[in-house]
Amino acid sequence: MSAYQLTRNETWVLATLLNLPIQQGSVLGEWLALDDVPSVEQIQMWLPVCIEEIKNKGYCSDQKSISPDLVKSLMLAAIGQKHIYTSIRSEKISASTRFLLAGSGAVQYGYKKDQLILHQTRQFSETLPELLPDWLKIAVEEVGNVTMSQNAFLLFKEACFQSNMAFLLNATSDEGFAITDLENGFKRDNEWLDIFEALRLKGIDALNDISISDQIEQLIAMGYLERVGSDRLRIGASGTVLSNIYSDPNQVTITFSFSSVEPEKTTSSAFLIGDERIFRIDFLGGELKILGIRSRADALNWIKAIVSQ
């Protein structure tokens, strides 16, 4: 069996029977803390029904004892304090996955209504390659890095879209795109910023507080945009490689978030794959650092180093 689905009552019963050492920051610790802690009498009352339900789900071995694989998954979910969240987005794929790590082991987990889903434990070395699938097409080694504000990056991303639209409509990108189209598209596609600004997240500005003209000037100074007359822009030489990635119909974005309770640490990054290249974007408060990566192997080695620290 590859996955186990447990209700909250079943999880409490198993945690009690197995005497699991539930740690702060673990999956079990966080999930069970969302509701009131039951009394010993309540757990004893649940026990017969829950054990029967667990048997009916096939979570017991031939000897009628709890499956050793389920016990391993529960133990790792109880003690693991390192979390990985990853998502993959493309024209054809949209999926996300969570992992909890302890030692060299990893367990994939998720939630379904009021149930906790645990997969069988694996070695992290087996899980690591799946975070950046081997079907990704990466053939060109990329080097170099640049740091820009999040607002400038979002505006450049919109500029890539406007450049592509101008090419489709005019069969040429030499004349660029209208600044008014860039401004209108940026405001239309980034209304979500107000939600995160309302939560007072560091580095997130309200949409109306962003000076588009200032961001344009910043991108021009960096060579990511250049003027074509008084009212038009086009992608500059420095932004060509990144623009080509966003123009690739098979472009893939993979987000990677890692958090650790002890030592306390949080890392948030994203990988952009397209035009046979791979870039890593590190989120640093209100700034983004964009780095060219030589290969998929280098990207995986970076993830391994982050997790191992």
Side-chain angles (χ1 to χ4, degrees):
M1 180 172 294
S2 60
Y4 305 96
Q5 297 186 31
L6 300 170
T7 65
R8 201 173 298 275
N9 289 3
E10 291 167 353
T11 305
W12 272 115
V13 166
L14 289 172
T16 303
L17 290 176
L18 299 171
N19 195 25
L20 295 176
I22 301 176
Q23 302 296 306
Q24 179 182 0
S26 67
V27 170
L28 290 190
E30 293 183 345
W31 189 61
L32 293 177
L34 294 176
D35 208 343
D36 294 335
V37 177
S39 65
V40 174
E41 290 74 20
Q42 284 178 301
I43 295 176
Q44 289 176 337
M45 182 176 64
W46 296 339
L47 196 150
V49 175
C50 289
I51 291 298
E52 190 62 29
E53 290 175 346
I54 291 169
K55 288 181 180 179
N56 291 337
K57 291 179 179 180
Y59 297 171
C60 292
S61 64
D62 294 338
Q63 291 75 31
K64 305 302 181 184
S65 59
I66 305 300
S67 165
D69 287 333
L70 174 56
V71 174
K72 291 178 183 177
S73 296
L74 284 166
M75 180 61 73
L76 201 152
I79 64 174
Q81 295 180 304
K82 294 181 177 181
H83 297 256
I84 288 176
Y85 174 83
T86 183
S87 67
I88 184 169
R89 297 287 186 274
S90 70
E91 285 293 323
K92 299 179 181 179
I93 301 173
S94 178
S96 60
T97 311
R98 296 182 178 92
F99 296 95
L100 189 71
L101 312 180
S104 62
V107 62
Q108 181 181 337
Y109 70 94
Y111 307 98
K112 183 179 180 181
K113 294 183 179 179
D114 63 342
Q115 296 188 72
L116 174 65
I117 302 173
L118 294 174
H119 291 250
Q120 291 183 352
T121 59
R122 303 171 66 190
Q123 292 294 299
F124 179 65
S125 58
E126 299 177 87
T127 301
L128 178 61
E130 298 175 2
L131 302 183
L132 291 172
D134 58 10
W135 50 259
L136 293 170
K137 190 174 182 181
I138 303 168
V140 180
E141 294 186 356
E142 194 61 60
V143 295
N145 65 81
V146 65
T147 299
M148 66 176 68
S149 69
Q150 176 179 272
N151 296 336
F153 175 78
L154 292 173
L155 188 66
F156 179 73
K157 185 177 178 181
E158 181 65 35
C160 292
F161 173 77
Q162 295 297 333
S163 179
N164 290 337
M165 289 299 296
F167 179 80
L168 290 174
L169 294 174
N170 304 319
T172 177
S173 58
D174 291 342
E175 296 180 359
F177 48 88
I179 293 177
T180 55
D181 290 341
L182 176 63
E183 293 174 338
N184 293 334
F186 180 81
K187 293 177 181 178
R188 180 191 64 240
D189 296 336
N190 291 282
E191 292 180 348
W192 57 270
L193 286 170
D194 288 341
I195 298 175
F196 289 98
E197 192 277 335
L199 297 174
R200 300 188 182 280
L201 296 181
K202 184 179 179 181
I204 304 296
D205 296 323
L207 186 58
N208 289 334
D209 292 338
I210 298 174
S211 172
I212 295 180
S213 60
D214 286 350
Q215 306 310 315
I216 289 176
E217 292 304 320
Q218 178 182 340
L219 290 168
I220 290 175
M222 296 172 64
Y224 275 67
L225 291 179
E226 59 183 44
R227 293 191 181 278
V228 184
S230 60
D231 60 350
R232 301 182 74 80
L233 297 166
R234 66 185 173 197
I235 303 299
S238 298
T240 300
V241 173
L242 197 57
S243 176
N244 288 342
I245 289 180
Y246 281 117
S247 300
D248 188 341
N250 297 314
Q251 186 259 324
V252 177
T253 301
I254 297 177
T255 61
F256 171 83
S257 297
F258 172 77
S259 63
S260 172
V261 176
E262 185 61 42
E264 186 175 351
K265 181 179 181 180
T266 301
T267 299
S268 296
S269 298
F271 294 95
L272 296 181
I273 302 99
D275 194 34
E276 299 189 352
R277 290 174 164 86
I278 179 170
F279 278 80
R280 191 182 82 233
I281 301 177
D282 295 339
F283 300 93
L284 310 171
E287 290 188 328
L288 302 179
K289 187 173 184 179
I290 307 170
L291 303 97
I293 306 296
R294 292 184 180 276
S295 65
R296 172 175 172 267
D298 281 1
L300 291 174
N301 286 335
W302 175 82
I303 293 176
K304 183 178 179 181
I306 290 292
V307 170
S308 300
Q309 291 176 0

